[in-house]
Structure formats: C-alpha cells, structure tokens
Amino acid sequence: MTGGAPRPAPGAASRLGLDALRRLPAASRPLVRPGTVPAGIVHLGLGAFHRAHQAVYTEEAVAAAGGDWGIVGVAPRSTDMVTKLADQDCLFSVTTASGGGNRTRVVGALAGVRHAASDPAAIVTLLADPAIRVVTLTVTEKAYQLDPATGRLRPDDAVLADLTTDRPPRTVPGLLVRGLLARAAAEAGPLALVSCDNLPSNGERLRSLVEQALRLCGGGQGGAAGRTDPLDGWLTENVSFPGTMVDRIVPASTPRTLADAAAALGVDDLAAVAAEPYRQWVIEDRFPGGRPAWERAGAVLTDDAGPWERLKLRALNGVHSATAYLGALAGRETIAEALEIPHLATVLRRLIAEDVASSFAPPDGVSVVDYGEEVLERFANPVIRHRTIQIAMDGSQKLPQRVLHTIADLRAAGARPRWAALVVAAWMRFVQGRADDGTPLPLDDPLADRIRAALAAGTDSPAGVVAALFGLTEVFPAELTADDEVRELVVEWLTALDRHGVQKVLEGVA
Ligand code: CS2
C-alpha cells in the first residue's frame, strides 16, 4: 500500500469484504447494500470487462430504480476469480483511470459467484430458476465455437460430449442448452439471453448457437440440420436474444492495478480492475421477463443495435486490432505506446475515414470520423496500460467482424479497401511469430495449430503466406479469397512489411 490511504485499525480486516465496508472512504462505498439485492441475473464470464461494465451499469440501475437484479457471476472454467471474490463477500473495486487522476469505487452488484466446472449442476439449476430472468455473457468470441466467417457451429469434442451425452456440461454451449432444457421442463418463465461479446450481430449469433446446439442434442438422423428441436417451439415463445453493443477499455489487471486499489481503499482487493472513464452500452429492448433500469445508468435502449455494433466493431475494435498488430510488430508494449510510432495515427485516421466510414451506414447523427477521433484519444490514455499482445490474441476470431466485413462491404460497393488490407497483412505477419527486430511473438489463438500447419505447408513468399492463410475458410470467406484485387493488396502490404518493417512502411505511405 502507498500514499495517504486509510489503514485498517490493528486487528481489522486487511482484505476487502463486508467487514471492511465501514472503513472505506465514503466515495468508494458501493451504491447498494451488498448482499441485500436478490439475484435476477446470471452472468457467464467473470473477467475484468464484466466487472467494469455490466456490473457497474446494473449496480447504478438498481441504486436508481430498485429491482431484484443482483448478479450471480459464473466463471465457466478458472476458479481463480471465484475464489478471490468469494473471499471478499463478492465485492470488488473499479478504478477509473485518466490523466486527471484515479477514482476507486467498490461495486456491490454481485449477489453470488459460482464455478461452473466444479458444480455444473448448480448452474443448470440456476438457469432454470424463475427468479433469474436475464442471462448475460462475456465469454469471448471463441467460447461460442462458431465459425467466425459463417456463424456455423463447429463443436469441439467437449461441446459435442456436452450436447450428445448425459455428462455434466463443461462448455458454454453445453451449460446454456442444458439450462434451457431444464427451464422449459420447470416452466420457469421467460428469459433474455444477452451476448455482451464483440461478435457481429451478437444477439442473432447467440440465438443461432443455441438453436444449432439444441438440434445437436435433439433426436433424428443425419447432421445437426436433420435433427429435431427438443424444445419444440418453447424457445421462440419464451427466450429473447437482444443484440448489444458494449464498450469500455478494461485491460487485464496487473499488480499495479491491485496496488492502486489498495492505496485508495486501505484494504487489499484481489479482484480489482482499472478502466477508462468512457463507457457505453446500447441494448435492444427485448426482455420478456423484465430488466434492470439500465437507462438510469446511461445505457441506450433501442430497437436495433446493429448500426452501433458495426460502428464499434469496425471503428474501435478494428482500429484496436490494427494498432495491436502493427504496434507488436514494431516492438511496442502498449496501445498508447504504439500510437507514438511516427505516422501510425495518420494511417489509422485514413483507415477510419477512407475505409471504415464508407463501409456501412452509421447510427443517425453519428459521424464515423468524429467517433474515430474520440477512439484514438481513448487509445492514447497513457494510464490505461493495454498490452498490444492482449488485443492481438484470438485474431482468427476477431478479424472477420473487425476488418473483413469492412473489406466485403467496400468491395460490394466497388471500392478499394486499401487500409483494411494493411490490417490483414499485419495479422499475417504477426502470426508468423517474429517482430520486426526478430523478437518472438506469441500466437495465442484457438486456431493456432491450423494457422501453423497452413504456414508450414505453404511457401515463405508473401504470396505463399497469403495463399496459405486464405485457406482458413472458417476465417476468410470464399468471395474474399477469390477477389484478386483484395489478394493483391494484402500481398503488396505483406511484401512491404516483410522487407521494410512497420516503421518504414508507415513513413512511406503517410
Ligand atoms: C479489444 C477489446 O481485446 C480486444 O480485442 O479490442 O477488448 C476492447 O478493448 C473493448 O471491446 C472496448 O470496448
């Protein structure tokens, strides 16, 4: 602990929890009395993003308008966060960090925490509980096990076993489907299933995942398409899948995050997160069992989140991935440091103005270029140490909605996706595993084996690498790989990156 933080009295708790609340600085206390709000929401995925986003919105909504909307947080796999939160009576803090200083507040939104892998039956029971009327998810793109390009379910062995045998479910699709089957059997009432992951049309993707998974566990012959839906129409009548756009930059917590939280709170918080001040949540208002008054916390409830979602995926996440790949190749550790590479910001502005802005119709009254400027300002926040390597991971799951959709829409309009093709080339150089100075780069991706095998089977030339990686049909759709203009652009950029490295390439084009 550092600074003039309040210190626990001798013998008092040194760890965040109910006992420590009284001693917290008044501005750091939760907005609701922890433990007093009955559960109405199950959230799958207890990562930093959930804690700094939906949990904060929900606590503020309940503080403003009431309602039984406590959140039961479920960690699908790792026990780490469940243990830490359980030891802290489900309390954690969010430090809002900007150049203007930090503010740390404890959030009391969690009504409980559970570990799915050690007690899957408890999660199934919870999903069938009539008190639960909303299920939200932040499980990252790969947990959906959908082909990023087509949305087709590609179940791995674990998902298949969850869907086709009686074993306790271990995967997200397995937990959802078993939970829904139990809920239908218990006639426990309607439910909204809300994806808060950065997937394209995330509501529809989640619906499609559930429908494909249900067909796999249903009877009948042949592949998933030939099987019957064991819920026989119950899903359509009872479950909604609102689309959402979620936004807040929340890097993985570090020892520094925990030290800052301890300094502000006077007790240790092992579940602390730090986030930028900015946050946004656009939600399609389809909640058959009700919902918290999230609008009281600043969320926008709408009929169609699609334009917001495209705006965010392309002009924020696409630009984030561009900065992450180019920055990592140039040896920069964080996004803010990458933005200091001479000319990178200029190239990102051109990506936004020339490619992203002409690829889709933004929400009414929104200028993509202005939105992009704000995004670049947010990325430059030096207090938020968001590592390029963290954003670079799982590229195969991210590229389609962040970059390839921009390319497809530009091509459909007969335009040349010059800058978006640079992002694809940067990813292709990144997955080859070496930065411009030869430092090894990690390939952390669910398709890592497929990517490595494709590269090993191809030739080393830029055209060979592009051909090999375009062969990943779960990522690159046929229309795109058959488009010679796109292919040539990517090969040109990759050739330039291979020969000259990121810094010289940016210098040459800016
Ligand atoms: C980032 C996102 O990790 C990533 O790939 O692009 O987590 C990004 O920080 C959030 O979507 C911002 O809302």
Side-chain angles (χ1 to χ4, degrees):
M1 280 181 248
T2 56
R7 293 193 174 259
S14 62
R15 182 84 179 269
L16 180 59
L18 290 174
D19 288 347
L21 283 181
R22 273 178 305 113
R23 293 192 316 277
L24 295 182
S28 294
R29 294 192 190 137
L31 301 180
V32 295
R33 267 186 59 210
T36 61
V37 183
I41 300 177
V42 166
H43 180 81
L44 299 183
L46 268 179
F49 186 76
H50 169 69
R51 307 204 297 285
H53 191 275
Q54 301 91 40
V56 170
Y57 274 96
T58 302
E59 191 200 40
E60 287 184 19
V62 172
D68 292 352
W69 295 111
I71 301 172
V72 181
V74 176
R77 281 177 315 184
S78 153
T79 49
D80 182 51
M81 195 40 64
V82 175
T83 311
K84 285 174 176 159
L85 284 167
D87 289 348
Q88 295 183 180
D89 303 316
C90 300
L91 297 172
F92 63 90
S93 67
V94 177
T95 294
T96 303
S98 72
N102 288 353
R103 276 187 306 118
T104 302
R105 198 171 66 67
V106 172
V107 177
L110 288 178
V113 284
R114 302 264 190 289
H115 179 229
S118 49
D119 195 0
I123 313 304
V124 172
T125 304
L126 203 53
L127 294 173
D129 181 340
I132 300 300
R133 287 146 292 151
V134 174
V135 175
T136 47
L137 290 89
T138 52
V139 290
T140 81
E141 298 88 341
K142 63 185 167 223
Y144 292 73
Q145 304 230 347
L146 300 170
D147 264 6
T150 60
R152 188 166 69 96
L153 180 64
R154 255 193 218 244
D156 64 12
D157 292 347
V159 170
L160 265 185
D162 277 2
L163 298 177
T164 57
T165 72
D166 288 338
R167 78 163 198 191
R170 292 179 193 159
T171 64
V172 169
L175 287 165
L176 287 177
V177 158
R178 294 291 190 81
L180 289 171
L181 289 166
R183 191 172 185 94
E187 297 181 8
L191 183 73
L193 283 189
V194 193
S195 167
C196 299
D197 284 297
N198 290 314
L199 293 167
S201 308
N202 56 7
E204 279 314 302
R205 283 263 161 132
L206 181 57
R207 173 198 296 283
S208 155
L209 162 64
V210 167
E211 287 174 353
Q212 294 180 72
L214 274 170
R215 282 199 297 272
L216 267 179
C217 48
Q221 294 296 311
R227 294 171 184 243
T228 49
D229 167 6
L231 284 181
D232 193 24
W234 178 87
L235 195 72
T236 324
E237 304 266 295
N238 291 279
V239 184
S240 71
F241 295 86
T244 60
M245 180 269 249
V246 291
D247 191 10
R248 187 167 200 183
I249 294 177
V250 191
S253 296
T254 63
R256 171 79 189 273
T257 318
L258 305 191
D260 285 349
L265 300 173
V267 286
D268 289 332
D269 172 8
L270 302 191
V273 286
E276 63 171 343
Y278 184 98
R279 65 181 205 205
Q280 196 176 25
W281 197 5
V282 180
I283 313 166
E284 287 173 359
D285 200 1
R286 290 185 277 115
F287 289 82
R291 61 164 172 80
W294 283 312
E295 68 280 10
R296 299 287 297 273
V300 172
L301 278 297
T302 177
D303 287 347
D304 179 12
W308 289 104
E309 190 193 63
R310 284 187 280 283
L311 176 71
K312 196 260 174 168
L313 289 174
R314 297 180 191 197
L316 187 146
N317 294 113
V319 179
H320 226 186
S321 291
T323 312
Y325 294 123
L326 293 165
L329 288 169
R332 301 300 164 112
E333 195 187 338
T334 67
I335 290 292
E337 285 159 16
L339 276 178
E340 284 167 8
I341 302 172
H343 311 295
L344 179 60
T346 309
V347 165
L348 297 174
R349 285 196 174 91
R350 295 190 71 178
L351 166 66
I352 294 163
E354 294 170 31
D355 286 4
V356 174
S358 16
S359 73
F360 74 108
D364 284 345
V366 173
S367 146
V368 178
V369 169
D370 292 350
Y371 177 91
E373 275 309 314
E374 196 179 16
V375 162
L376 292 180
E377 252 173 57
R378 292 166 58 196
F379 287 180
N381 181 346
V383 195
I384 297 290
R385 295 190 52 80
H386 209 178
R387 297 180 70 227
T388 48
I389 293 297
Q390 188 193 342
I391 295 150
M393 69 191 270
D394 294 345
S396 71
Q397 314 294 300
K398 294 176 174 174
L399 271 193
Q401 58 273 24
R402 295 180 179 210
V403 183
L404 305 183
H405 290 178
T406 302
I407 296 184
D409 287 338
L410 287 175
R411 294 304 291 145
R416 209 173 125 79
R418 179 169 181 209
W419 307 104
L422 166 61
V423 189
V424 178
W427 174 75
M428 289 183 169
R429 184 159 161 78
F430 178 88
V431 299
Q432 292 175 74
R434 299 253 164 224
D436 290 344
D437 67 0
T439 309
L441 293 170
L443 177 54
D444 190 343
D445 193 297
L447 294 188
D449 291 345
R450 300 256 295 116
I451 292 170
R452 284 197 196 96
L455 288 171
T459 63
D460 286 348
S461 70
V465 168
V466 172
L469 294 174
F470 271 7
L472 299 169
T473 52
E474 41 306 46
V475 181
F476 295 99
E479 310 85 75
L480 188 138
T481 56
D483 184 330
D484 289 338
E485 190 160 341
V486 172
R487 182 180 293 256
E488 274 160 29
L489 268 172
V490 179
V491 172
E492 262 170 44
W493 281 121
L494 188 57
T495 309
L497 289 173
D498 282 357
R499 270 197 206 139
H500 309 295
V502 170
Q503 308 225 25
K504 286 250 149 44
V505 168
L506 296 176
E507 220 173 277
V509 292

